[in-house]
Amino acid sequence: MRVLVDLNRCQGYAQCCFLAPESFKLVGEEALMYDSGPDDALKEKIERAAASCPVQAIMVEYMNGHADEMVKSGTSEAEARHGA
Amino acid sequence: MAGKSLFQQVNDYAHRANPYPLYAEMRKTPVLGDEDGNYAVSSYRLITELLHDPRLSSDIRARPPDDPKQQAVAQSSISPAFIRTDPPEHDRLRRMLTRQFGPPHTVGMIDNMRGDLEKYVNGLLDRMQDRKQIDIVDDYAYPFPVDVICKLLGIPPEDEKRFHGWAEDIAFSLDPAIGEEGRKLIAKGLVARNELGQYMRALIDVHRKQPGNDMLSRLITDSSADGRLTEEELVSSSVTLLIAGHETTVNLITNGTLTLLRNPDVFERLRHEPDLIIPLVEETLRFEPPVQFNSQRTALADITIDGVTIPKGAPVYLMIAAGNRDPVRFNEPDRFIPDREDNQHLGFGSGIHYCFGAPLARVEVQIALNALARRLINPRLVVDPPPYRQSAVLRGPRHLLVDVDGIKP
């Protein structure tokens, strides 16, 4: 699986660091460091982290052998609406 | 005298079971002033904007001297807690508290609690196995977060009998002070807060003499670049963490259960698809938020927003539950869609006062609702709507009776 955080959106609420501490780490007060290719065993934790992001900055993609399937994206629709 | 304003109607107990039509009416005038001088803000966009506006204070002391809440703060023997302060004081206090709760200083504590929390809710259900009817509030949604926050802070869970009444009086006093009744609630809240403060002071003394590994002990002994928490800060912080740590979570678990019972197809889906709980809890926070509106904010200056000027000193109510159902922001806002995409709800607020306990609440509610889905056999709502607690701000059922054919092991 692949994880992508839009660091322009991220505001350091750190909810992801609470819920998936193996993958998301806070450096200092608000800088986020994360693992973009976490182990599949962490799938559930990563999903909890992505769902909890107050600004929906975390995207998760799954590679299921055939094609990369984009499963979750929190940003596109919101941006379209704000831009409208 | 004119009829009741929309804001007064929201606060009227008669509308507690379903305030949502009133919120929809309110959104037609997204900044709505009434004759009491209260301003209710109800669109998603404006609520979000104001949650990030430093001209909106969380400090009740910014209100005029005749405001009942301002008077209560002035008479309180405890200083205002961090959620009732502004920067820079707020940031310093929150930083010091966060050190013992989450990253970067405390890593993995909440995530590591999952196993114990699962054991605890399953223990509660085990003890009900011969029952055909349960009250989700008294038997489940209340005892669980109380136990969790007590153990986390280092409060003896058996003391619940002592602080239960105080916690409830304080929770109810968060409502706006409307009329004589409102002033009575504020007065009761003040007494309760002073008494709970006294209880906490004694407890802090015990922990200071014999520190354990609980959060209260760690807050007492910790020191950082921000210094140490003073006795006063420890008392007001721990009172707030204890109350916020359960009064809100009870409602979220109960509102979630009620919503599942009203949507049996979703309940059934959750049984087979436990991961659905992750977006489902977010949708519950949007659809039936346990904090319906922020009731403690005050304009520090004249704020002109969407052509309306909110005068300096005015109480401003950010109607979270209305913003969460704003059709400009959410498709089909009145539908409960458990796997809703792009669910940037305001259930935990936004900005510097974003719910301190959100990570813990999420873990608790995910575990609590999944255990119900897995173990209750044919659960049925007995009374709909259920009887509600008094509070308009911390809105949730007082009881939620559910008939079951049994409880799976």
Side-chain angles (χ1 to χ4, degrees):
Chain A
M1 69 196 288
R2 272 207 313 244
V3 174
L4 179 70
V5 180
D6 181 345
L7 292 173
N8 289 320
R9 278 182 91 84
C10 175
Q11 291 175 22
Y13 284 96
Q15 303 299 297
C16 55
C17 308
F18 278 93
L19 300 180
E22 297 86 349
S23 294
F24 300 92
K25 291 185 172 58
L26 206 55
V27 181
E29 292 245 320
E30 43 192 46
L32 181 71
M33 258 180 53
Y34 68 100
D35 179 358
S36 59
D39 195 281
D40 283 353
L42 290 170
K43 175 174 177 283
E44 206 181 330
K45 287 194 180 193
I46 303 273
E47 283 181 1
R48 285 186 204 127
S52 73
C53 177
V55 292
Q56 297 286 292
I58 303 172
M59 281 191 290
V60 185
E61 290 178 353
Y62 299 107
M63 276 83 76
N64 41 22
H66 310 285
D68 287 9
E69 185 198 351
M70 176 92 127
V71 173
K72 192 174 282 169
S73 160
T75 60
S76 51
E77 200 186 340
E79 274 166 4
R81 280 165 180 276
H82 287 306
Chain B
M1 190 184 145
K4 283 185 175 177
S5 73
L6 268 175
F7 184 67
Q8 287 169 339
Q9 288 180 61
V10 164
N11 285 283
D12 190 340
Y13 183 75
H15 296 287
R16 200 67 77 243
N18 184 15
Y20 296 100
L22 290 170
Y23 294 141
E25 195 59 33
M26 229 176 207
R27 280 192 306 265
K28 292 177 184 168
T29 316
V31 184
L32 182 62
D34 76 2
E35 58 184 15
D36 297 334
N38 294 314
Y39 285 81
V41 178
S42 56
S43 73
Y44 182 91
R45 183 174 63 83
L46 294 182
I47 293 169
T48 310
E49 210 172 296
L50 286 176
L51 281 170
H52 293 264
D53 191 328
R55 295 173 300 172
L56 200 59
S57 172
S58 287
D59 194 332
I60 287 289
R61 293 169 293 188
R63 290 194 186 171
D66 61 339
D67 182 281
K69 290 203 175 184
Q70 145 81 292
Q71 287 170 352
V73 171
Q75 290 168 45
S76 175
S77 62
I78 317 175
S79 59
F82 65 107
I83 57 171
R84 305 286 191 81
T85 60
D86 296 329
E89 190 187 1
H90 164 269
D91 301 359
R92 190 186 126 262
L93 287 170
R94 182 154 175 155
R95 232 175 4 242
M96 291 166 92
L97 296 172
T98 301
R99 276 172 61 84
Q100 303 306 332
F101 187 66
H105 188 76
T106 299
V107 174
M109 182 179 84
I110 299 298
D111 184 50
N112 287 336
M113 288 168 68
R114 296 191 73 94
D116 284 343
L117 302 194
E118 265 159 27
K119 218 178 283 170
Y120 188 84
V121 290
N122 281 303
L124 283 177
L125 290 170
D126 288 344
R127 287 193 287 284
M128 293 186 256
Q129 262 179 319
D130 51 355
R131 303 254 298 268
K132 293 290 176 207
Q133 187 173 86
I134 55 178
D135 178 357
I136 292 294
V137 178
D138 286 348
D139 296 330
Y140 194 70
Y142 178 77
F144 174 41
V146 168
D147 190 77
V148 173
I149 194 66
C150 281
K151 285 182 184 148
L152 182 71
L153 284 173
I155 296 171
E158 59 272 19
D159 280 2
E160 183 273 337
K161 289 174 215 67
R162 295 184 63 191
F163 66 69
H164 178 86
W166 297 327
E168 196 161 81
D169 284 348
I170 295 170
F172 291 168
S173 73
L174 290 179
D175 274 12
I178 294 178
E180 200 42 48
E181 203 51 43
R183 283 173 184 268
K184 271 187 210 155
L185 288 179
I186 307 288
K188 263 176 94 175
L190 172 65
V191 173
R193 203 171 130 74
N194 287 342
E195 285 178 4
L196 182 53
Q198 219 157 12
Y199 163 82
M200 214 50 102
R201 226 176 274 276
L203 201 64
I204 287 167
D205 209 41
V206 171
H207 287 242
R208 200 188 290 283
K209 284 180 185 133
Q210 229 172 9
N213 190 34
D214 50 81
M215 194 170 155
L216 198 50
S217 296
R218 286 184 278 121
L219 288 171
I220 293 168
T221 54
D222 188 26
S223 86
S224 67
D226 288 307
R228 279 171 186 268
L229 289 163
T230 65
E231 172 84 10
E232 284 313 297
E233 289 164 349
L234 280 167
V235 172
S236 65
S237 302
S238 52
V239 162
T240 294
L241 293 178
L242 170 61
I243 291 173
H246 73 273
E247 286 292 339
T248 47
T249 318
V250 176
N251 291 339
L252 186 55
I253 294 172
T254 314
N255 293 347
T257 309
L258 174 62
T259 305
L260 286 170
L261 290 162
R262 283 172 172 168
N263 296 272
D265 51 323
V266 179
F267 217 161
E268 183 57 28
R269 206 180 137 196
L270 185 58
R271 258 168 228 129
H272 304 290
E273 222 182 296
D275 282 0
L276 181 65
I277 197 65
I278 299 166
L280 187 149
V281 168
E282 302 304 317
E283 178 68 342
T284 308
L285 282 156
R286 184 194 71 83
F287 190 74
E288 289 271 29
V291 179
Q292 295 263 301
F293 54 96
N294 293 135
S295 58
Q296 313 290 321
R297 312 256 168 149
T298 307
L300 285 178
D302 288 359
I303 302 174
T304 301
I305 183 166
D306 263 28
V308 179
T309 299
I310 302 171
K312 178 181 173 180
V316 182
Y317 299 91
L318 303 176
M319 311 302 287
I320 301 294
N324 273 351
R325 293 195 186 204
D326 186 341
V328 177
R329 178 59 181 80
F330 297 102
N331 292 324
E332 296 187 89
D334 291 320
R335 251 188 78 201
F336 181 77
I337 303 175
D339 48 3
R340 181 181 286 275
E341 298 265 313
D342 179 32
N343 193 354
Q344 207 171 310
H345 61 78
L346 300 171
F348 286 129
S350 181
I352 62 164
H353 292 285
Y354 186 84
C355 177
F356 181 86
L360 176 60
R362 281 188 165 107
V363 169
E364 288 177 301
V365 181
Q366 288 168 358
I367 287 171
L369 294 182
N370 255 355
L372 290 180
R374 191 172 64 77
R375 298 192 57 182
L376 298 188
I377 302 169
N378 190 22
R380 293 155 337 256
L381 200 49
V382 176
V383 191
D384 192 6
Y388 272 77
R389 302 174 77 193
Q390 178 178 313
S391 179
V393 171
L394 303 182
R395 173 179 165 270
R398 174 61 194 91
H399 297 287
L400 187 66
L401 294 180
V402 178
D403 281 338
V404 292
D405 291 347
I407 295 176
K408 283 185 205 162

